[in-house]
Amino acid sequence: MYFGFCLLVLIPLISALLPVKNNEDAVINFFEHKYEELKALVGDLESKLESTEGMNIEYADRLTSAEKLIKELSDSHDDHKRAFTDSQVAFYAKLSGSLHGLSAHQTIKFDEIVTNTSASLYDTATGIFTAPVSGMYVISWTANVNYKQAQATELTVNDVVKASAYADTAQGGDGDYGSASQTVVLQVNKGEKVLVRTGTDGNGDVHGADYSTFSAFLLFPHA
């Protein structure tokens, strides 16, 4: 009878506890499932992070390469710009007024500049063209004289005569002016001085009014 009583007490208790145990199992299963999901998510994020780090390294390498290329292009541009600027050598000057009483080997100062790619090329105060770079130059000049006048002129490089010209109207009877011109191609080194001067023959007069000129340009540079 006591056993029967116990059964009557235990059966309702067990029945009451079974839902609780089932709920605990469900909760455990739920959290285990979520844990697996979170574990998978963390693994996926770690994988993506590793991939991102790899991409960052790749992008950093590309950026470094791009910066290097930009610097090389910039340096090349500067070199080409410098070379182009150095090769821009040209001047043209003329004599605005006439000169009288010049002595032998006196520099003719062409006082009016028409073209000058650099202020340091031709100096009107001295009549000297200073070569900024070594190279092959084309140099020209013209000396004009009045009626019944004559004058020899010379082109010198560092005081060495490279060419001469002679304008002569002294023997003419047409009453007109006369000119003598020369164009030469010369090797001129950096820093050398080029000028036009009077020769040993002549009356010492050179007619200006833009008839007498002096010009030069760099044909090509070289060491």
Side-chain angles (χ1 to χ4, degrees):
M1 186 173 181
Y2 175 76
F3 177 74
F5 174 76
C6 289
L7 289 175
L8 290 173
V9 174
L10 290 173
I11 288 173
L13 181 59
I14 291 171
S15 298
L17 291 174
L18 282 174
V20 174
K21 185 177 184 306
N22 290 336
N23 288 337
E24 289 178 352
D25 292 340
V27 170
I28 291 171
N29 289 334
F30 173 78
F31 281 109
E32 287 180 347
H33 178 69
K34 290 300 181 182
Y35 170 76
E36 293 298 329
E37 286 184 350
L38 289 173
K39 185 178 179 181
L41 179 61
V42 169
D44 183 56
L45 290 175
E46 288 178 345
S47 176
K48 289 182 177 180
L49 180 60
E50 291 176 358
S51 176
T52 302
E53 289 176 349
M55 291 176 64
N56 287 339
I57 293 173
E58 181 182 354
Y59 288 146
D61 291 341
R62 289 184 180 181
L63 180 60
T64 300
S65 298
E67 290 174 343
K68 182 179 179 181
L69 179 59
I70 290 172
K71 186 179 185 305
E72 289 175 352
L73 290 174
S74 177
D75 292 343
S76 177
H77 175 264
D78 291 341
D79 290 341
H80 281 85
K81 183 179 179 181
R82 189 177 302 109
F84 181 71
T85 302
D86 289 343
S87 68
Q88 291 179 309
V89 180
F91 85 91
Y92 164 46
K94 57 187 180 180
L95 190 63
S96 61
S98 296
L99 302 177
H100 304 285
L102 298 174
S103 59
H105 297 166
Q106 184 171 342
T107 302
I108 300 174
K109 300 174 183 179
F110 299 85
D111 61 319
E112 186 174 338
I113 293 177
V114 179
T115 301
N116 205 19
T117 56
S118 173
S120 62
L121 289 183
Y122 178 76
D123 185 359
T124 56
T126 62
I128 295 174
F129 160 60
T130 303
V133 294
S134 297
M136 198 66 67
Y137 287 82
V138 177
I139 306 171
S140 300
W141 84 97
T142 296
N144 184 266
V145 296
N146 289 328
Y147 173 57
K148 290 189 176 181
Q149 297 288 322
Q151 185 59 54
T153 54
E154 301 171 339
L155 178 77
T156 68
V157 178
N158 277 14
D159 296 325
V160 178
V161 177
K162 297 295 184 179
S164 301
Y166 189 71
D168 184 6
T169 62
Q171 305 302 321
D174 56 0
D176 206 351
Y177 295 93
S179 295
S181 299
Q182 277 275 36
T183 297
V184 296
V185 180
L186 294 175
Q187 163 67 30
V188 183
N189 296 319
K190 181 178 180 179
E192 290 187 329
K193 311 295 185 181
V194 183
L195 59 85
V196 175
R197 70 184 188 184
T198 56
T200 54
D201 296 329
N203 303 99
D205 293 344
V206 177
H207 181 59
D210 304 340
Y211 287 101
S212 297
T213 63
F214 181 29
S215 63
F217 66 89
L218 178 64
L219 188 60
F220 58 84
H222 58 74

